[in-house]
Amino acid sequence: MEQLKITNGRIITPGEVIENGTVLIADGCITAIGAGNIDAPGATVIDAGGKYISPGFIDIHIHGGGGHDFMDNTVNAFLGIAETHAHYGTTAMCPTTLTSSKEDLLETLRIYELADKKNSQGAQFIGMHLEGPYFALNQCGAQDPRYIRNPDPEEYREILAGTTAIKRWSAAPELPGAIDFGKYITERGILAAIAHTDAIYEEALYGFENGYTLATHLYSGMLGVTRRNAYRYAGVVEAAFLIDDMDVEIIADGIHLPSPLLKLVYKIKGAVRTALITDAMRAAAMPPGESILGSLKNGLKVIVEDGVAKLPDRSAFAGSVATFDSLVRNMIKHADVSLVDAIQMATITPARIMNVANRKGSIEKGKDADIVIFDEEINIEKTIVKGRVIYER
């Protein structure tokens, strides 16, 4: 039985930081945690050097990185993205699609199954996230409007019949057929999320009551307060704040949401209901300049500058180029969030949302040994997935 011992570190747990702590790992799982030294004869020792020992980051909404997009539909792209983001502390992720044709979606799902079996050097895949194509055209953002459509039972039943890889699906709950769609997928254990939507509060509440329990990239692709003639209506943003049990995810790059909005989300939803996401596209961890959002075959040309992807005319953002270490850093520096709470939003909260908290998201005995070691500035020193060191700085 291969044993690993990480010692002389500050272990971040859901409620506290254990000073001068030790974590023992065997066969990919955590077997012991404690303050001080724990004897483990024969174990390979990693001296954390007083740095933080944290659960690995879980990115539940990510499109690409390192020059790849999941919709390139190659095994190499999937593996390249997983390896790229592991360098920044991500140990688990939900590969995410963009709005596309049914044929492209089916091909992406097929490639996911192949790549998942070969993924040994990157962040682990914990299920596909389909972002679209059932969206409000007014809120398409950088999603390709050619492929946006209403939920089609024949189509989504066919897609779901051919795979068990889908664990999350984002859609607009106000569309014709969207409530039946939400019920259908949640009955099959798939998370329904509200995204790219024109819904007002009442429609969002009805969606929540029928399975739509997560707000996808809060503030982006959704309404806040609007006026129709003389009357004001609350939107999905207000619904997310008012519905206590609705989870939210935020792109905490400091650009999609500036500091005051990061603070507001944290103040209202807290670390328990807020998940950090990169929503990263292929240009993450790449130099600024021209890039492509979506597949190389039929994606959208964008320009990356000022730490974000923009449409060529600079009229709107076209995706994030964040890496997960920067999200944690930003929540601490720009939203006045404690390290423990920032890590909760990066780990156990997304694990709970994706229904994997029984095995991931915290440093606890019996859970997968998905661990990152980082310094005071959240610079990643080591990334460990299921007890294997897959990245060293």
Side-chain angles (χ1 to χ4, degrees), residues 75 78-79 109-121 123-125 164 388:
V75 169
F78 271 78
L79 300 182
L109 291 164
R110 187 183 74 82
I111 298 297
Y112 171 93
E113 304 272 11
L114 297 174
D116 191 32
K117 294 171 185 171
K118 296 185 177 183
N119 183 15
S120 62
Q121 298 301 314
Q124 194 176 21
F125 302 137
T164 58
R388 290 180 58 247

Side-chain angles (χ1 to χ4, degrees), residues 281-303:
M281 46 85 74
R282 75 169 68 246
M286 298 289 284
E290 291 186 356
S291 188
I292 294 173
L293 178 69
S295 75
L296 291 171
K297 182 177 67 176
N298 55 13
L300 178 72
K301 284 188 179 179
V302 299
I303 185 161

Side-chain angles (χ1 to χ4, degrees), residues 188-380:
R188 283 150 185 79
I190 296 167
L191 172 68
I194 298 179
H196 295 276
T197 171
D198 271 330
I200 58 172
Y201 170 80
E202 290 76 8
E203 292 166 323
L205 177 60
Y206 189 49
F208 175 80
E209 292 168 345
N210 286 279
Y212 290 86
T213 57
L214 172 67
T216 298
H217 47 46
L218 188 67
Y219 284 100
S220 298
M222 61 182 60
L223 298 176
V225 178
T226 55
R227 276 183 68 159
R228 297 180 183 178
N229 300 318
Y231 297 94
R232 286 185 178 86
Y233 294 85
V236 172
V237 172
E238 290 75 28
F241 288 149
L242 286 169
I243 301 168
D244 289 339
D245 291 338
M246 181 176 280
D247 294 309
V248 303
E249 61 175 32
I250 55 173
I251 309 168
D253 61 358
I255 302 166
H256 281 79
L257 297 184
S259 173
L261 292 183
L262 295 175
K263 290 178 181 178
L264 181 64
V265 174
Y266 175 67
K267 183 175 184 177
I268 298 174
K269 299 304 291 187
V272 173
R273 290 286 174 193
T274 307
L276 306 182
I277 58 162
T278 63
D279 195 11
M281 46 85 74
R282 75 169 68 246
M286 298 289 284
E290 291 186 356
S291 188
I292 294 173
L293 178 69
S295 75
L296 291 171
K297 182 177 67 176
N298 55 13
L300 178 72
K301 284 188 179 179
V302 299
I303 185 161
V304 178
E305 61 182 14
D306 305 321
V308 70
K310 303 174 186 177
L311 296 178
D313 64 0
R314 296 174 170 81
S315 63
F317 294 150
S320 155
V321 294
T323 53
F324 220 114
D325 59 327
S326 69
L327 307 182
V328 175
R329 205 176 293 121
N330 287 337
M331 291 307 293
I332 295 167
K333 290 187 175 180
H334 303 307
D336 300 331
V337 173
S338 70
L339 173 65
V340 169
D341 275 4
I343 293 301
Q344 181 169 353
M345 291 187 277
T347 58
I348 194 62
T349 296
R352 175 189 56 76
I353 290 170
M354 293 309 304
N355 200 31
V356 296
N358 62 323
R359 56 192 173 93
K360 294 188 182 295
S362 59
I363 297 179
E364 294 181 72
K365 186 177 179 180
K367 288 196 175 184
D368 291 348
D370 296 349
I371 291 171
V372 288
I373 299 172
F374 55 75
D375 64 16
E376 293 282 354
E377 296 300 314
I378 326 295
N379 296 308
I380 307 301

Side-chain angles (χ1 to χ4, degrees), residues 45-56:
V45 177
I46 293 175
D47 185 345
K51 297 182 174 69
Y52 289 103
I53 302 170
S54 167

